[in-house]
Amino acid sequence: MGIAHREENFIVIELGSHTTKAVLDTSDINKLPDVVLRTRGGVLKQDASNSAPQSATDEEFGGLKGEDSKQEPRSSGIANTQDAAASTTPLHVNGIMDVDPAESTQRSSLQAETEDEVSSVGNAAAEAAAAGDSGADRSQKDAEQDGNEVSYVFGSALESATSDALESTVDMMVGGFVQDWEALSAFLRHIITKELGIPISRNGSPILFSIPALWSKTDLERLAQVAFEHLNAPTIVIAEQPLAALYGNGKMNGLVVDIGHTVTTITPVVDSCIQPSTIVQSPVAGAAVTRRLHELLEADPSVNAQFDSGAVPLEFAERLKESGLCRLRLALTGDEEDGDEQESASPPEFEYEGKKFRINTEILAKAPEVLVEPTEPGTMRLTSLMQQAALACDPEKRTALWENINIVGGSSRFGSLKEYLQSELEATVLPASNMFAVSQTREIKILSVPDYFVGWRNHDHWAGFLGACIMAKIIMNDAKHNITRAEYNENGPSIVHTKPS
């Protein structure tokens, strides 16, 4: 019989290409994330991370140089990848994924390769321990041998780091997929130790990872390895974000539209099962809105004149986009009065770097239109993509999809976006559905987080994180869905494929 963990110790981490969220303690389901960090890291230059005295490095960047440090965790810091690999001990992993017999040979090969990597890390740690080296001494010796030691900064430490101290910056995830596993491992260690204040050596908190639906089997196994080798988690569960988003709204069927930073993903979910072959993606997402907004701002002389340089910085457009001032104009309603009011409204003020700017409301209305009606060649309207995903499902299930549309993601917060989509879908889907006798769709309904989750009001875009917390409460201690340390040790990373989803 497995160990029953307390909800107060549960950790939920939602990995996103632009933003990663985390929370410790799911006993209060109305609790918002404790951690909201940009999924980006800075690589410190060798002279900043190795040559500088330890105290100076910690003081400047708020970081630690190894797990053997006796300092208490702080809110921002440096993660050293060699120390991370050498100082951790084996753990277990918990995952929820189906087994694909067709890929058993590939998975076996990957498992053997991964286990060799795990073994090499473990052997290095054992040899260092036998030699009586401390974590810091071992790190120094490794650095002298190959000079490949890499140190990262995240969060506020990255924001405050100077260009002289940084070698480069790295986006660990792009388009929902991991680009740099070494940096992501350090990033997750930073979240556990610095943001949540849990020493890796004494980590007794099970972790639920909420991930995009299209991760490969290789990615799932590598996440298991990171959790086992570097985070020292006693138990983990791997859940898919579209399913978690529906659970956040209390549904088991629906169409999940995730508008992220660089990609929009539309995922049909039927009877709590994601339909991988029907998933549709578009490169038009939040970054496209930023580019469009920047173009419109630069084309407006009155905006350029407000900058001393005479040019609009891209960062200004990014901050303006995230301010909540951009709103879609509901052209489909035919309400001319509302349009006239918007035209006559005085330009709103937006503060940037201590200075207030006035922005034409026409610009604020036009920028987010690129989401629903892209201008780039070869791209489709958002509603057309939604219909494409729904039509790929069984006709009997389409009604449930249209009646449970879940719009999530950081770039889904533009004012009137839901109303715009509702109007356009009612004008296109309902008439077409009425022409057929099978599975008529009589209502288009876009979901909102239920009112009884009082702490999540006005946070519909975070429904996926709420759903992940709900999943953690239900299945974290369920042996059918989690993986124990003993199971990981016995089966290796491939254990993530043997648990039901």
Side-chain angles (χ1 to χ4, degrees):
M1 185 174 180
I3 299 174
H5 299 278
R6 295 169 57 88
E7 291 182 3
E8 290 82 355
N9 295 325
F10 289 178
I11 295 175
V12 174
I13 299 177
E14 181 184 88
L15 294 171
S17 297
H18 185 269
T19 304
T20 292
K21 297 180 282 293
V23 69
L24 171 63
D25 184 0
T26 62
S27 59
D28 180 5
I29 204 63
N30 284 304
K31 181 181 179 183
L32 293 175
D34 294 320
V35 180
V36 180
L37 284 181
R38 180 77 163 88
T39 313
R40 172 178 288 175
V43 180
L44 289 176
K45 291 181 179 178
Q46 290 295 319
D47 56 353
S49 59
N50 294 332
S51 300
Q54 178 64 42
S55 58
T57 305
D58 285 345
E59 181 178 356
E60 183 176 357
F61 301 109
L64 302 177
K65 293 288 289 181
E67 285 303 310
D68 294 329
S69 174
K70 302 302 181 182
Q71 298 181 9
E72 291 298 319
R74 289 180 286 176
S75 60
S76 305
I78 298 173
N80 182 287
T81 56
Q82 286 193 341
D83 290 347
S87 63
T88 52
T89 56
L91 298 178
H92 9 284
V93 182
N94 307 339
I96 309 178
M97 290 293 157
D98 291 330
V99 181
D100 186 351
E103 296 187 23
S104 59
T105 302
Q106 177 184 357
R107 191 165 64 250
S108 298
S109 175
L110 174 62
Q111 177 181 345
E113 179 183 345
T114 306
E115 287 176 343
D116 289 342
E117 295 176 2
V118 174
S119 176
S120 65
V121 173
N123 291 339
E127 292 172 3
D133 292 338
S134 65
D137 293 339
R138 185 163 61 251
S139 174
Q140 182 177 358
K141 182 181 295 184
D142 291 341
E144 292 173 353
Q145 289 177 352
D146 54 28
N148 290 328
E149 182 178 358
V150 179
S151 294
Y152 296 91
V153 286
F154 307 101
S156 59
L158 175 59
E159 295 176 1
S160 61
T162 62
S163 58
D164 293 337
L166 291 178
E167 183 74 31
S168 62
T169 59
V170 54
D171 289 318
M172 291 153 275
M173 293 180 62
V174 176
F177 298 98
V178 179
Q179 303 298 310
D180 190 326
W181 278 100
E182 180 181 286
L184 181 64
S185 175
F187 181 59
L188 292 173
R189 287 176 62 86
H190 167 81
I191 290 175
I192 298 296
T193 59
K194 305 300 191 299
E195 302 293 340
L196 299 180
I198 301 174
I200 293 295
S201 60
R202 297 193 297 275
N203 183 14
S205 295
I207 304 174
L208 183 144
F209 291 100
S210 179
I211 64 167
L214 292 175
W215 274 26
S216 67
K217 291 178 179 292
T218 302
D219 289 335
L220 296 175
E221 294 186 1
R222 295 199 69 171
L223 179 61
Q225 185 180 0
V226 166
F228 179 80
E229 297 295 334
H230 297 169
L231 304 184
N232 199 27
T235 297
I236 74 164
V237 171
I238 300 178
E240 294 169 303
Q241 290 169 5
L243 189 58
L246 277 181
Y247 286 169
N249 286 303
K251 304 294 181 180
M252 295 187 294
N253 297 277
L255 196 64
V256 180
V257 182
D258 188 343
I259 308 176
H261 181 59
T262 59
V263 66
T264 294
T265 305
I266 302 166
T267 308
V269 179
V270 177
D271 297 330
S272 295
C273 293
I274 290 173
Q275 312 295 304
S277 62
T278 65
I279 295 177
V280 176
Q281 288 191 311
S282 169
V284 180
V289 178
T290 302
R291 291 192 297 270
R292 178 59 175 158
L293 180 58
H294 189 235
E295 292 172 359
L296 294 171
L297 291 171
E298 285 191 317
D300 188 338
S302 65
V303 175
N304 285 276
Q306 298 180 62
F307 288 90
D308 295 336
S309 63
V312 181
L314 182 62
E315 183 185 6
F316 177 85
E318 180 77 23
R319 297 281 182 86
L320 180 60
K321 181 195 73 173
E322 297 172 352
S323 68
L325 293 175
C326 294
R327 296 181 61 87
L328 278 165
R329 180 179 292 112
L330 298 180
L332 290 175
T333 63
D335 191 342
E336 298 297 334
E337 272 187 30
D338 289 346
D340 292 340
E341 277 183 24
Q342 191 170 21
E343 293 289 341
S344 61
S346 60
E349 286 189 343
F350 172 67
E351 186 170 341
Y352 174 74
E353 293 186 348
K355 182 179 178 181
K356 291 184 178 181
F357 295 81
R358 289 193 175 276
I359 310 298
N360 192 319
T361 54
E362 184 72 14
I363 293 177
L364 300 176
K366 282 185 175 180
E369 288 179 359
V370 69
L371 280 181
V372 294
E373 192 172 355
T375 57
E376 299 178 11
T379 55
M380 298 172 60
R381 297 175 69 92
L382 181 55
T383 52
S384 298
L385 294 172
M386 295 169 67
Q387 292 180 65
Q388 178 180 329
L391 289 173
C393 299
D394 293 338
E396 305 168 342
K397 303 296 184 181
R398 293 172 191 167
T399 297
L401 298 180
W402 291 123
E403 291 178 352
N404 297 286
I405 300 173
N406 195 352
I407 302 177
V408 297
S411 298
S412 67
R413 293 177 290 169
F414 297 108
S416 301
L417 174 62
K418 290 183 178 181
E419 293 81 0
Y420 189 103
L421 293 176
Q422 175 106 23
S423 298
E424 186 166 334
L425 289 171
E426 287 176 348
T428 55
V429 174
L430 295 185
S433 178
N434 291 333
M435 295 174 62
F436 302 95
V438 179
S439 183
Q440 288 188 348
T441 300
R442 301 183 181 277
E443 182 182 15
I444 301 294
K445 185 176 182 181
I446 298 179
L447 302 175
S448 295
V449 173
D451 292 337
Y452 48 79
F453 292 122
V454 294
W456 294 87
R457 289 176 182 170
N458 301 319
H459 288 86
D460 290 344
H461 61 292
W462 280 357
F465 190 82
L466 169 60
C469 293
I470 294 173
M471 293 178 72
K473 292 171 70 71
I474 296 173
I475 66 176
M476 190 69 84
N477 283 319
D478 188 346
K480 294 180 180 180
H481 296 287
N482 62 31
I483 300 174
T484 65
R485 183 175 309 180
E487 289 175 318
Y488 182 95
N489 288 340
E490 181 178 353
N491 299 279
S494 63
I495 188 65
V496 297
H497 310 303
T498 66
K499 294 288 183 171
S501 59

